[in-house]
């Protein structure tokens, strides 16, 4: 018999998902929209910490915990992910004490809830010592369209409703700034407001991206949800205007269904400068920067 492993604490990053480009290319029979999107996962995000325990509990803290105030912890996608994993590996009475350090704005187009659920799947499969990558991907798909890409947390082109993933070549060493004006945007409302739902797919990405190549590629793509989101939350246009008038920003666009927008800059340092400048003027906006 092996020694009983000492209880250990595992920690997983739940990185923001940024849609660098997002084309809505059709609809599935169940009403979900078919997407063709390029996603990146800069090092900005929530953190999920899991420790062995009797019973399954979740506490949420961190600067954005308050935004989840009216969401009962039992409904949190993190606990749904934990229960789904326990069921799939046959743990009748799953035990883990989960702590979510919530830093990302909620309902903001950067997949915070999906990233948290994905981090829970990764953390608990380390803690409970089970589940293949294929099984995690299957469970992820059952939890939400963006969860599989967040489990991988690597640059990818995602198709279907987001579950069909093709890895992307390494992204160039640019910096990225994320800006959210503090308006929660409901994803279903944005999809409903989208006039044309069968747009052309993304051009095939090249086999390798340098900075100029990525910027040229992005210039030939869109976020089809940007116009309907701006119609619902006009402040998004103000965010984009701020980013597009800063000379250090090489490219700016909204992510997902908004309201978070991103800008690319020449370096991580340049991105940090943009972030500081935006924060200084718009003190109530959430602003972060990182390497792309
Ligand atoms: O996957 P998530 O829970 O974020 O989706 C929220 C809602 O957004 C869905 O219930 C659906 O109305 C809409 N949606 C969609 N097509 C997608 C993703 C989301 O229509 N690919």
């Amino acid at each position: 018999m092996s020694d009983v492993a000492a209880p250990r604490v595992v920690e997983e990053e739940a990185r923001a998902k940024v849609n660098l480009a997002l084309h809505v290319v059709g609809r599935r029979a169940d009403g979900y929209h078919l997407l063709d999107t390029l996603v990146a996962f800069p090092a900005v995000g929530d953190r999920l910490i899991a420790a062995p325990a009797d019973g399954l509990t979740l506490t949420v803290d961190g600067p954005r915990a308050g935004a989840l105030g009216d969401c009962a912890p039992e409904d949190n996608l993190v606990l749904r992910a934990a229960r789904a994993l326990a069921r799939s590996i046959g743990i009748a009475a799953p035990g883990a004490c989960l702590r979510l350090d919530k830093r990302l704005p909620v309902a903001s187009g950067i997949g915070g809830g999906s990233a948290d659920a994905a981090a829970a799947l990764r953390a608990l499969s380390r803690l409970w010592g089970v589940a293949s990558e294929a099984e995690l991907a299957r469970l992820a798909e059952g939890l939400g369209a963006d969860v599989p890409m967040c489990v991988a947390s690597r640059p990818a082109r995602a198709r279907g409703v987001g579950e069909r993933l093709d890895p992307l070549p390494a992204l160039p060493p640019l910096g990225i700034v994320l800006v959210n004006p503090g308006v929660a945007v409901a994803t279903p409302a944005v999809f409903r407001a989208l006039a044309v739902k069968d747009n052309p797919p993304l051009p095939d990405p090249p086999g390798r991206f340098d900075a100029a190549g990525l910027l040229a590629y992005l210039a030939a793509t869109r976020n089809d949800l940007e116009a309907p989101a701006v119609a619902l939350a006009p402040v998004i246009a103000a965010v984009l205007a701020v980013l597009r008038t800063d000379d250090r920003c090489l490219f700016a666009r909204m992510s997902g269904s908004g309201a978070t927008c991103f800008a690319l800059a020449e370096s991580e340092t340049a991105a940090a400068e943009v972030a500081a400048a935006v924060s200084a003027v718009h003190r109530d906006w959430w602003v972060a920067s990182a390497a792309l």
Side-chain angles (χ1 to χ4, degrees), residues 172 174-175 209-221 249-253 262-266 292:
L174 295 171
F209 275 128
D210 58 16
L214 177 64
L215 294 168
Y217 178 87
L218 292 180
T221 65
C249 294
L250 307 172
F251 181 84
R253 173 172 279 165
F262 70 91
L264 300 179
E266 189 173 69
L292 174 59

Side-chain angles (χ1 to χ4, degrees), residues 31-33 35 144-146 161 187-188 191:
Y32 262 72
H33 293 76
L35 310 178
D146 283 347
V161 296
T187 303
F191 276 109

Side-chain angles (χ1 to χ4, degrees), residues 123-279:
L124 291 173
S125 71
R126 285 169 62 199
L127 196 70
W128 294 338
V130 274
S132 65
E133 244 174 71
E135 180 59 5
L136 282 190
R138 193 189 66 79
L139 292 170
E141 210 177 315
L143 292 164
D146 283 347
V147 184
M149 63 179 81
C150 291
V151 168
S153 207
R154 292 233 145 68
R157 178 184 189 178
R159 282 175 280 188
V161 296
E163 82 292 1
R164 275 179 45 212
L165 299 174
D166 292 306
L168 280 184
L171 297 177
L174 295 171
I176 186 167
V177 190
L178 301 176
V179 181
N180 182 282
V183 175
V185 178
T187 303
V190 176
F191 276 109
R192 270 199 304 275
L194 173 68
V196 181
K197 299 177 198 272
D198 56 348
N199 300 287
L202 288 174
D204 283 334
R208 113 169 236 289
F209 275 128
D210 58 16
L214 177 64
L215 294 168
Y217 178 87
L218 292 180
T221 65
R222 312 175 300 278
N223 180 348
D224 287 327
L225 299 178
E226 199 170 283
V230 167
L232 293 171
V235 67
I236 294 168
V239 174
L240 289 168
V242 165
L243 294 173
R244 286 175 179 153
T245 50
D246 188 313
D247 288 344
R248 291 164 294 202
C249 294
L250 307 172
F251 181 84
R253 173 172 279 165
M254 189 186 82
S255 176
S257 56
T260 306
C261 298
F262 70 91
L264 300 179
E266 189 173 69
S267 64
E268 194 177 345
T269 309
E273 285 170 16
V274 174
V278 174
S279 284

